[in-house]
Amino acid sequence: MAGINDAPLIQNLAVPAVCLLIAFLSYFSQYLFYYSTLEPGPPSRTESVVFNTLLLCLWYTYFKAVTVDPGRYDFSDRVIEAEGSWCKKCNAPKAARAHHCRHCDRCIPKMDHHCPWTRNCVSMTTFPHFLRFLVYANVSLWTLGTLLWRRFYALWEARHLPAYLGPTLEALIGLALTSLICFFTSLALGIMLISTVKSWMFNCTMIEGWEVDRHEAILDRGGRDWWDVAGPDGETFRFEKVEFPYDIGIISNMAQAMGTSNVLLWFFPLASNPIVSKDNKGAGWTWEENGFNRTEGMWPPPDPEKLRRAARSWPVAQRDFGAELRDAHLGPEERKRAFKERQEQDVRRRKTLLAELEEVDDFDMIHNDGEDPDDLYDQSSNESVEWVNSDGERLRDYGVDEDAENDAGTGVPSDDEVPLGELLRRRRVLQRDNLS
C-alpha cells in the first residue's frame, strides 16, 4: 500500500479502472462463453442467473463502498473540555480510534485506512460495505473461475483431436487472457479479503495493527515490561506493556463492525451501516474495552522515541499558551506568584537533559545487542520521525496525517496542544456561562 495513495495517476483513474476490470471479467467472459466455439458451450440458465446476481451485488456494494460518507464528528455545542487527543488540523477534539485522513481532510471515526481503489476511507461507516464488496468480488471471481476451468477441462479432453475441430484462435486467446486476469485479480482480492476478515474478527484496524506491531517491537527491544522515559517537561513517564483493548470477543467484534447483531444482515447487500452518534458519547465516540489493562483509554501506547525527541527540544523556547491564558487578567500580586511558579518550572525543565541522559543510559543497558534504537525509525526525510513496520509502512501510508497526530505519542491531551485562540474561546464561554 505504501505510496499508492500518493500516485496522482492512481488517484484519478483508480475507480474507473476498477469498474473497467469488473466489466471486462463480467461481460466479456459471458460474451466469450455464449458466442465462441469453446466447449461445453454457453452456461446453463441457472449458472447465468447465479453469476449475474452476484454481479449485481458486486456493483452495488462497490458503489456503496465508494460513495458512503466515511463519517464525521459534529460539534454542535461549544467545546469546553476535551477528553482524549486534540486534532491540530480539525481544531477539535479527536475521539478514540479516530485519525485525521490527509486525503479526506478530516478526522475519520475508527479509521482503518484510506483505500486508493475506492478513493474513500475504510472506516466505521464504510467498513460493512467494503467487506461486502470484497466478499461478492471474491465469490464472483470463484464462480467465473469455475466456468473457465470447465472450458480448459474440455480442451484437455479433446487434446487428441485435430486442431481444426477445436475452438478458434481468437477464442483461445480470449480464454487465456480472461483466465490470467481472473487469476491475478483473485489472488490480490483474496489476500485483501483475508486481511479484512482478520481485522473484522479481531476488531483491529490496519492502523491499530501497525500500532500493535510498533508496541511489540519496542517491548522486544526493551527486554522487560516497562521502563521510565523522560518527557518534554522533564518529568518521568512510565512506559509499560499495553494490551490491545478493543478485542471484546469474535461475535461481539463482528456485530460491532457491521452495526447489527443480526447475522443475516451482515452480507445482505442492501443492509445499512453504523452511524456516528450525534450526542458526542455514543457510537463513534466511545468504544467498549476488554478490561485487560489497568485503566481504560491507554490505547494507543506511547512511543518512547517520540518522547525522547520531544524532550530534546529546548523547553524555554516553547511558548506556554496555557500560562499566557491564565496570566491574561491577573492582578499584580497574582502575576508575581505566577512568575515564581514559572521560575520553578524552568528549574525543573533544566533537569530534562540530565533525566534524558540517565534514561538513555538505562535504555542502552537494556539494548545490549549493540543495535541502534533509531534503526526502528524512518529518518529518510525531515518530517517527524516515524516508526516503520517490516513492510516499510508508516502511518502516512494508511492515509493518516502524521502532523495532526500527537507529537509526543503519549495520547494524553494538554493545553500545549490546543491553540491559544481555542483556549481564549473556552475562557469566554465559561465566563458567559458563569454570568448567566
Side-chain angles (χ1 to χ4, degrees):
M1 184 187 295
I4 294 181
N5 278 317
D6 295 324
L9 184 63
I10 292 181
Q11 288 182 1
N12 296 327
L13 300 179
V15 173
V18 172
C19 292
L20 183 63
L21 177 62
I22 296 174
F24 174 81
L25 291 174
S26 302
Y27 305 115
F28 176 77
S29 61
Q30 294 189 71
Y31 174 84
L32 186 67
F33 297 154
Y34 278 98
Y35 298 103
S36 71
T37 55
L38 291 170
E39 295 293 340
S44 66
R45 182 178 180 85
T46 301
E47 291 174 336
S48 297
V49 170
V50 170
F51 187 52
N52 284 281
T53 301
L54 290 173
L55 292 179
L56 287 176
C57 296
L58 169 60
W59 280 114
Y60 181 76
T61 52
Y62 182 65
F63 170 77
K64 297 293 285 186
V66 172
T67 59
V68 168
D69 190 279
R72 62 180 70 242
Y73 292 104
D74 180 21
F75 297 98
S76 55
D77 299 328
R78 290 286 189 176
V79 179
I80 304 302
E81 296 295 337
E83 296 182 0
S85 300
W86 181 268
C87 179
K88 303 174 184 178
K89 296 295 181 70
C90 295
N91 196 22
K94 183 171 62 178
R97 311 187 77 178
H99 295 275
H100 189 95
C101 177
R102 59 194 180 91
H103 302 285
C104 299
D105 196 26
R106 67 174 186 267
C107 283
I108 304 297
K110 194 185 175 184
M111 180 178 174
D112 186 281
H113 69 283
H114 187 91
C115 178
W117 308 113
T118 61
R119 293 202 67 179
N120 199 5
C121 269
V122 179
S123 66
M124 170 186 164
T125 60
T126 61
F127 180 85
H129 303 295
F130 184 74
L131 177 62
R132 293 176 193 130
F133 159 66
L134 290 178
V135 168
Y136 285 111
N138 278 274
V139 174
S140 300
L141 287 168
W142 299 338
T143 304
L144 175 59
T146 301
L147 297 174
L148 292 170
W149 168 252
R150 291 179 182 175
R151 273 71 191 167
F152 276 107
Y153 184 75
L155 287 175
W156 176 256
E157 287 292 312
R159 65 187 182 279
H160 298 301
L161 296 177
Y164 70 88
L165 296 178
T168 62
L169 179 61
E170 292 80 5
L172 291 176
I173 293 175
L175 179 64
L177 181 62
T178 305
S179 300
L180 285 174
I181 295 177
C182 178
F183 172 76
F184 288 109
T185 305
S186 299
L187 183 62
L189 289 182
I191 295 173
M192 191 179 300
L193 176 63
I194 291 173
S195 63
T196 303
V197 170
K198 180 182 176 181
S199 299
W200 180 34
M201 295 177 63
F202 290 94
N203 200 12
C204 181
T205 66
M206 292 182 66
I207 294 174
E208 290 166 345
W210 182 92
E211 293 170 341
V212 169
D213 291 342
R214 181 191 65 181
H215 189 55
E216 291 179 350
I218 294 173
L219 290 173
D220 291 341
R221 293 292 297 268
R224 64 187 195 185
D225 288 342
W226 58 265
W227 61 87
D228 293 335
V229 184
D233 56 359
E235 298 294 330
T236 300
F237 182 88
R238 174 160 293 184
F239 178 83
E240 60 184 299
K241 182 177 181 180
V242 180
E243 297 292 341
F244 182 69
Y246 302 119
D247 184 357
I248 55 177
I250 292 180
I251 301 301
S252 297
N253 292 341
M254 299 168 78
Q256 183 189 90
M258 304 306 284
T260 177
S261 57
N262 188 344
V263 180
L264 298 177
L265 294 178
W266 288 357
F267 299 107
F268 183 57
L270 302 180
S272 60
N273 53 266
I275 301 297
V276 180
S277 175
K278 300 296 184 181
D279 59 4
N280 299 3
K281 295 180 181 179
W285 297 86
T286 58
W287 301 92
E288 181 181 354
E289 298 192 11
N290 52 31
F292 288 167
N293 296 315
R294 57 181 172 81
T295 184
E296 293 187 353
M298 296 182 64
W299 195 269
D303 185 347
E305 185 61 24
K306 278 191 174 183
L307 285 170
R308 291 190 196 95
R309 294 182 182 276
R312 294 189 186 115
S313 300
W314 184 243
V316 178
Q318 298 175 359
R319 185 178 180 184
D320 192 345
F321 288 142
E324 293 181 20
L325 178 60
R326 291 191 299 271
D327 297 349
H329 303 288
L330 296 180
E333 294 300 324
E334 293 175 329
R335 287 179 180 273
K336 290 180 181 179
R337 286 196 297 270
F339 178 73
K340 291 181 179 180
E341 290 177 0
R342 288 197 296 273
Q343 282 185 320
E344 295 175 357
Q345 292 174 1
D346 289 340
V347 172
R348 290 196 297 269
R349 288 173 178 173
R350 289 189 184 97
K351 299 178 182 178
T352 299
L353 293 178
L354 292 177
E356 182 193 357
L357 289 174
E358 293 175 358
E359 183 271 322
V360 169
D361 289 339
D362 293 339
F363 188 73
D364 290 338
M365 291 177 63
I366 295 171
H367 300 85
N368 53 12
D369 54 3
E371 296 181 6
D372 186 359
D374 288 343
D375 291 343
L376 288 169
Y377 297 83
D378 179 14
Q379 304 185 56
S380 59
S381 66
N382 294 326
E383 299 176 0
S384 58
V385 178
E386 190 66 48
W387 183 83
V388 295
N389 62 12
S390 58
D391 296 325
E393 294 175 327
R394 304 180 302 167
L395 280 179
R396 177 182 180 85
D397 298 319
Y398 297 102
V400 177
D401 190 333
E402 297 176 61
D403 293 336
E405 297 294 302
N406 192 323
D407 289 338
T410 63
V412 179
S414 65
D415 285 346
D416 293 336
E417 298 177 7
V418 183
L420 179 59
E422 173 64 19
L423 293 173
L424 291 170
R425 186 192 62 74
R426 294 184 187 181
R427 185 186 184 93
R428 290 195 296 270
V429 172
L430 286 173
Q431 291 175 343
R432 185 169 62 250
D433 292 343
N434 292 333
L435 291 176
S436 60

